[in-house]
Amino acid sequence: MPDPGPSPLQSSLPAAVASFGAHVLAGALAVGVEPAVGAGPVEPAVGAGPVEPSPPPSPAPPVPPALPTGPPVLTPVPVPASVPDEGAAAAAAPQPRAALERILRGPSGLGTASLHWARSDAPAAAGEADAPDAPAPAAGNPIPGLYHHPVPEPDPVRVEELSRRIKAWALDEVSLYPEDWEDQFDGFSVGRYMVACHPDAPSIEHLMLATRLMVAENAVDDCYCEDHGGSPVGLGGRLLLAHTALDPVHTTKEYAPDWEASLLSDAPRRAYRSAMEYFLQSTTPSQADRFRHDMARLHMGYLAEGAWAQTEYVPEVWEYLAMRQFNNFRPCPTITDSVGGYELPADLHAQPAMQRVIALAGNATTIVNDLYSYTKELASPGRHLNLPVVIAEREGRSEKDAYLKAVEVHNDLMRDFETAAAELALACPVPTVQRFLRGVAVWVDGNHYWHQTNTYRYSLPDFW
Amino acid sequence: MPDPGPSPLQSSLPAAVASFGAHVLAGALAVGVEPAVGAGPVEPAVGAGPVEPSPPPSPAPPVPPALPTGPPVLTPVPVPASVPDEGAAAAAAPQPRAALERILRGPSGLGTASLHWARSDAPAAAGEADAPDAPAPAAGNPIPGLYHHPVPEPDPVRVEELSRRIKAWALDEVSLYPEDWEDQFDGFSVGRYMVACHPDAPSIEHLMLATRLMVAENAVDDCYCEDHGGSPVGLGGRLLLAHTALDPVHTTKEYAPDWEASLLSDAPRRAYRSAMEYFLQSTTPSQADRFRHDMARLHMGYLAEGAWAQTEYVPEVWEYLAMRQFNNFRPCPTITDSVGGYELPADLHAQPAMQRVIALAGNATTIVNDLYSYTKELASPGRHLNLPVVIAEREGRSEKDAYLKAVEVHNDLMRDFETAAAELALACPVPTVQRFLRGVAVWVDGNHYWHQTNTYRYSLPDFW
């Protein structure tokens, strides 16, 4: 796994960052937060032993518990021509907020652009023109009416190198999958996914931190829960033992060797163990603790979903949404600082306002998954719960109406996330907080990009 | 819930603390760590609205990742006359460590006592004489051969007041149990338990933080998992929804009210919600985040145990011990700083050496529970996994041999905990770290005391 040195993307990062001008959170950049390219934790030496983690950075002051009532983020809502009335109703009807928007828009004179957290005149949705020099958009259409932000095409050189390295890791280091799963691994396009989600990673090795974990998380989900032999029966035992690859067992000398050997006994555990070992080498103990917590949440979410599958219980919509806050992408955006080579201090991460931002971002990204994977899951054996299916069942709606309502739920979560992030950014002008918030927002956008463009896995239903 | 002011125990705390002179961790006190009685976070005003949490204290410097090889803790091992050879073999055979002990004992001249983290001449086990002025020991015998430290009888005035308040909370605030469960509630003796485990709590209200959570955790375990209508079927869904009383759902305006209403819909959720609300009022966000993480671990542990029960799988001993590191008392000792009115900074809590200490302490306390509840669980319907049962099944031992081996496993965990704590205390002379380590150790001892003396719930098997 040779390190080819700094990726060509590093020199183009300012351009990539400039493209966040299109993003609702771009204002943060303009108030002095530059990505610290190359300033991150230690780059693990390839083939060398464990690297000492860099010491935690100086902690930043805590966020005041009470956030001021700042201006809400008011971005224009996309109204694709093909969206039917019922689907676009909520999305296309910002009237109640229009007056407020005018009042709260703030200064508009020359030179005031950088004062805005959110610019309501920024392009914010598919269907609008990309920057003139942007590459041609990738395959795949966005879901009509889905509130999202397009991202620049991820750097192809970086994608290629990351894809090469992650495959080498999967095959050579953790024997992740048998040969006949190669197509599925390639179709996952995890390299493109992670480059899109982490444009500020200082190096390929930083991207590998996220990519290994993402692959390992998918291996656990596939092999223990779903596609490849997974089952809800006995899942609690399997997931707990896999979790010990992230959160180690401390036991007696007699029994420790059996536990250690177990971490090499199947592909999911090999992947968790190795991915976590690399993660520990490049992050602080608090970042590792945060990740473990998010993974415990994820595993609890899998177990709730599994319990409902086993008892054939279709949850209420609110119950489903609660479960989906746990069975959630959360562990991925919350390592944005680790992948970016800096640390959001633990005390700032724990603030209720930050926890709310993270939860809303995770929820929005996760409902994106429900929407793009809808037809894939319908085609799978058994009944697979997702938000449209639960809304249809619990609220007596047609499949189409339920799907379109799920789009609205997503859009509400996205707007709540952006509002909460903007308020926190105003209340807490700490560089690591600003950069972390932007990193989470970029992850949300990159996640949408990957779902939209992953035509190997996903196709849209015929509802428009 | 009137606050009667400072408990009489406050003035007697120095005496209570002095009794830790008998404790292996007592050395820490003598090197300048005084309990900050009354110096903790805000005391919630009774009947008033939420109190702003005090700001996080200034963070202390991080622990160096590599601990020096300090002297192991070498305490005398109890050899009760009635312990059979096979049970006491490991416990009574410290020969391999004797030379090391002599070398590592350190300075022994006049005035050097306070330099020792551990004094090998301190009384360390049942069967040895208490201090001459100690009250008569409570009912209940310790398990022969179990390595433990006796504690002073908890202050009866404080126990009485705490017991009164927790019952009022259970009945009046959260409607925890129907009338005919009152005997069980009283028999739980949770007031005595928590006073024994938190002798440095600055006030009854601080003790209430721990006591509400302990009662709520038991309600969830009883009602969802075990004694009172619990079942492994569908447990994942129930536990996740209960967990949202600790780790709130952030969802859309349409669905949030149903979730909020659900938190009042059964006793376990009412108890979690209320106990957490009080906890949040008196602790920092990082302390709350730590607690949530430990509770996610606990719930994962319940779910592993439930999965094995459902599939009638008897785990390997190492698998059982791994599960029991999650289905574990850990959430209780790790709030020792919250209950003590100070904060162990998040970055120090996350250090691998601290995580190891916490895990080992939690594991030792949890195996104590397996050992004392052995006959109770044998008498319950169905097969209840505990360490002696698993050892008997998986290692082909008699019930008695398996039980005595489980005692040895406990003793090894206790010694490993004390060694790890002593090493960390030497490596990290930060007052909050020293006090936290002592708090965890005192919790371990108080937990043993409660199990030993709770003859309402527990009786020993006839193996000696």
Side-chain angles (χ1 to χ4, degrees):
Chain A
M1 213 171 49
D3 186 338
S7 152
L9 189 62
Q10 285 198 25
S11 55
S12 67
L13 245 189
V17 169
S19 75
F20 302 163
H23 194 278
V24 70
L25 297 182
L29 254 189
V31 293
V33 187
E34 290 298 327
V37 176
V42 180
E43 177 85 341
V46 176
V51 178
E52 284 301 310
S54 50
S58 305
V63 181
L67 286 170
T69 309
V73 176
L74 299 164
T75 48
V77 174
V79 190
S82 59
V83 173
D85 286 346
E86 67 270 36
Q95 297 87 345
R97 304 179 78 174
L100 188 62
E101 176 176 13
R102 218 170 30 248
I103 295 163
L104 296 176
R105 190 175 287 141
S108 57
L110 195 66
T112 60
S114 69
L115 301 177
H116 289 270
W117 170 251
R119 290 300 296 181
S120 63
D121 52 351
E128 303 190 12
D130 283 314
D133 58 348
N141 294 315
I143 291 168
L146 192 79
Y147 178 48
H148 72 281
H149 303 286
V151 301
E153 283 295 305
D155 176 48
V157 176
R158 202 167 241 217
V159 170
E160 187 182 342
E161 176 59 16
L162 185 61
S163 302
R164 189 187 67 72
R165 287 205 207 177
I166 193 62
K167 202 161 175 176
W169 173 78
L171 291 175
D172 304 338
E173 289 194 56
V174 296
S175 306
L176 188 71
Y177 57 84
E179 263 183 30
D180 57 347
W181 293 11
E182 187 168 355
D183 277 357
Q184 287 176 54
F185 188 84
D186 293 342
F188 185 32
S189 301
V190 69
R192 197 159 52 86
Y193 195 174
M194 293 297 96
V195 174
C197 286
H198 296 284
D200 67 337
S203 73
I204 295 277
E205 201 47 49
H206 284 83
L207 283 166
M208 279 292 285
L209 299 177
T211 313
R212 287 187 208 95
L213 288 170
M214 173 62 91
V215 167
E217 288 151 18
N218 268 271
V220 170
D221 191 21
D222 280 355
C223 298
Y224 286 179
C225 309
E226 299 202 358
D227 297 351
H228 292 293
S231 154
V233 178
L235 182 59
R238 293 195 297 279
L239 279 181
L240 183 134
L241 294 179
H243 194 81
T244 68
L246 311 173
D247 192 0
V249 174
H250 296 275
T251 195
T252 66
K253 285 184 181 60
E254 177 178 359
Y255 295 109
D258 283 340
W259 164 69
E260 283 161 13
S262 77
L263 301 183
L264 302 175
S265 65
D266 63 16
R269 280 181 276 191
R270 285 193 299 272
Y272 264 1
R273 192 201 62 80
S274 171
M276 190 67 185
E277 197 170 82
Y278 280 103
F279 190 73
L280 289 172
Q281 286 168 13
S282 296
T283 55
T284 69
S286 290
Q287 287 175 311
D289 193 58
R290 182 201 308 167
F291 178 71
R292 285 187 196 104
H293 187 176
D294 284 343
M295 291 301 291
R297 288 184 171 109
L298 176 66
H299 292 151
M300 283 185 64
Y302 287 164
L303 290 167
E305 187 179 51
W308 290 339
Q310 215 179 350
T311 54
E312 299 186 349
Y313 176 67
V314 178
E316 300 278 357
V317 178
W318 73 265
E319 290 176 321
Y320 178 80
L321 289 168
M323 179 277 285
R324 218 46 179 123
Q325 182 172 301
F326 289 78
N327 179 355
N328 190 292
F329 282 116
R330 180 179 177 131
C332 307
T334 58
I335 60 169
T336 183
D337 57 337
S338 298
V339 181
Y342 64 101
E343 180 179 22
L344 174 70
D347 284 337
L348 297 180
H349 170 259
Q351 291 296 323
M354 180 63 84
Q355 291 292 304
R356 175 167 170 77
V357 167
I358 290 170
L360 287 167
N363 290 347
T365 61
T366 302
I367 302 306
V368 160
N369 181 263
D370 276 19
L371 293 168
Y372 278 99
S373 63
Y374 177 73
T375 58
K376 174 172 179 274
E377 291 177 353
L378 277 188
S380 302
R383 175 186 206 145
H384 196 104
L385 292 185
N386 59 39
L387 186 57
V389 164
V390 174
I391 289 176
E393 172 87 14
R394 284 298 196 166
E395 299 185 356
R397 290 174 182 256
S398 69
E399 289 186 357
K400 174 180 169 179
D401 277 359
Y403 189 94
L404 296 177
K405 179 160 186 193
V407 171
E408 288 174 38
V409 169
H410 165 271
N411 291 352
D412 287 347
L413 292 167
M414 267 294 279
R415 290 206 188 81
D416 288 349
F417 154 59
E418 293 185 346
T419 302
E423 287 175 351
L424 178 54
L426 280 173
C428 187
V430 173
T432 51
V433 168
Q434 305 278 328
R435 188 171 172 197
F436 185 87
L437 290 171
R438 198 186 57 218
V440 170
V442 169
W443 202 97
V444 170
D445 297 345
N447 176 66
H448 176 270
Y449 162 86
W450 177 80
H451 280 86
Q452 174 195 330
T453 57
N454 197 324
T455 51
Y456 176 86
R457 289 165 71 104
Y458 306 127
S459 62
L460 300 187
D462 186 21
F463 288 155
W464 297 276
Chain B
M1 213 172 46
D3 186 339
S7 151
L9 189 61
Q10 286 199 23
S11 55
S12 67
L13 244 187
V17 169
S19 75
F20 301 163
H23 193 277
V24 70
L25 297 182
L29 251 189
V31 293
V33 187
E34 289 300 326
V37 175
V42 180
E43 176 84 342
V46 176
V51 178
E52 284 301 312
S54 50
S58 306
V63 181
L67 287 170
T69 308
V73 176
L74 299 164
T75 48
V77 173
V79 191
S82 58
V83 172
D85 285 348
E86 66 271 37
Q95 296 89 341
R97 304 179 76 174
L100 188 63
E101 175 176 12
R102 217 170 31 249
I103 294 163
L104 296 176
R105 190 175 285 142
S108 58
L110 195 66
T112 60
S114 67
L115 301 178
H116 289 270
W117 171 250
R119 290 299 297 182
S120 62
D121 51 353
E128 302 188 14
D130 284 314
D133 57 348
N141 294 315
I143 292 167
L146 192 78
Y147 178 49
H148 71 281
H149 304 285
V151 300
E153 282 295 304
D155 174 46
V157 177
R158 201 168 241 216
V159 169
E160 187 180 342
E161 176 58 16
L162 184 61
S163 303
R164 189 187 66 73
R165 286 205 209 177
I166 193 62
K167 201 161 176 175
W169 173 78
L171 291 175
D172 304 338
E173 290 193 56
V174 297
S175 304
L176 188 71
Y177 57 84
E179 263 182 31
D180 57 348
W181 294 8
E182 187 169 354
D183 277 357
Q184 287 178 53
F185 187 84
D186 293 341
F188 185 31
S189 300
V190 70
R192 195 159 53 85
Y193 194 173
M194 293 297 96
V195 173
C197 286
H198 297 283
D200 67 336
S203 74
I204 295 278
E205 200 47 48
H206 283 83
L207 283 166
M208 279 292 285
L209 299 177
T211 313
R212 287 188 208 96
L213 288 170
M214 174 62 92
V215 168
E217 288 151 18
N218 270 270
V220 170
D221 191 21
D222 280 355
C223 297
Y224 286 178
C225 309
E226 301 202 357
D227 296 351
H228 292 294
S231 154
V233 178
L235 182 59
R238 293 196 298 280
L239 279 181
L240 184 133
L241 294 178
H243 194 81
T244 69
L246 311 173
D247 192 1
V249 174
H250 296 276
T251 194
T252 67
K253 286 186 181 60
E254 178 178 358
Y255 295 109
D258 284 341
W259 164 68
E260 284 161 13
S262 77
L263 302 183
L264 301 175
S265 64
D266 63 16
R269 282 181 275 192
R270 286 193 298 273
Y272 264 1
R273 193 200 63 80
S274 172
M276 191 66 185
E277 196 169 83
Y278 281 104
F279 191 73
L280 289 172
Q281 287 168 14
S282 296
T283 55
T284 69
S286 290
Q287 288 175 309
D289 193 59
R290 181 203 307 169
F291 178 71
R292 285 188 196 104
H293 187 176
D294 284 343
M295 291 301 290
R297 288 183 170 108
L298 177 65
H299 292 152
M300 284 185 64
Y302 287 164
L303 290 166
E305 186 179 52
W308 290 338
Q310 216 178 349
T311 55
E312 299 184 350
Y313 175 67
V314 178
E316 300 277 358
V317 178
W318 72 265
E319 290 176 322
Y320 178 80
L321 290 168
M323 179 278 285
R324 217 46 177 124
Q325 181 172 301
F326 289 77
N327 179 355
N328 190 290
F329 282 117
R330 180 178 176 132
C332 307
T334 58
I335 60 169
T336 183
D337 56 338
S338 298
V339 181
Y342 66 101
E343 180 179 23
L344 174 71
D347 284 336
L348 297 180
H349 169 260
Q351 291 295 323
M354 180 63 85
Q355 291 292 303
R356 176 166 169 76
V357 167
I358 290 171
L360 288 167
N363 290 346
T365 62
T366 302
I367 302 307
V368 160
N369 181 264
D370 276 19
L371 294 168
Y372 278 98
S373 62
Y374 177 75
T375 58
K376 175 173 179 275
E377 290 177 354
L378 277 188
S380 302
R383 176 187 206 145
H384 197 105
L385 292 184
N386 59 39
L387 186 58
V389 165
V390 174
I391 289 176
E393 172 85 14
R394 284 298 195 165
E395 300 184 356
R397 290 173 182 257
S398 70
E399 290 186 357
K400 174 180 168 179
D401 276 359
Y403 189 94
L404 296 177
K405 178 158 187 195
V407 170
E408 288 174 39
V409 170
H410 165 272
N411 290 353
D412 287 346
L413 291 168
M414 267 293 279
R415 290 206 188 81
D416 288 348
F417 154 59
E418 293 185 346
T419 302
E423 287 175 350
L424 177 54
L426 279 173
C428 187
V430 173
T432 50
V433 168
Q434 305 279 328
R435 189 172 171 195
F436 185 88
L437 290 172
R438 198 187 56 218
V440 170
V442 168
W443 202 97
V444 169
D445 298 345
N447 176 66
H448 176 269
Y449 162 87
W450 177 79
H451 280 87
Q452 173 195 329
T453 57
N454 197 324
T455 51
Y456 175 87
R457 290 166 70 104
Y458 305 127
S459 61
L460 299 187
D462 186 21
F463 288 153
W464 297 274

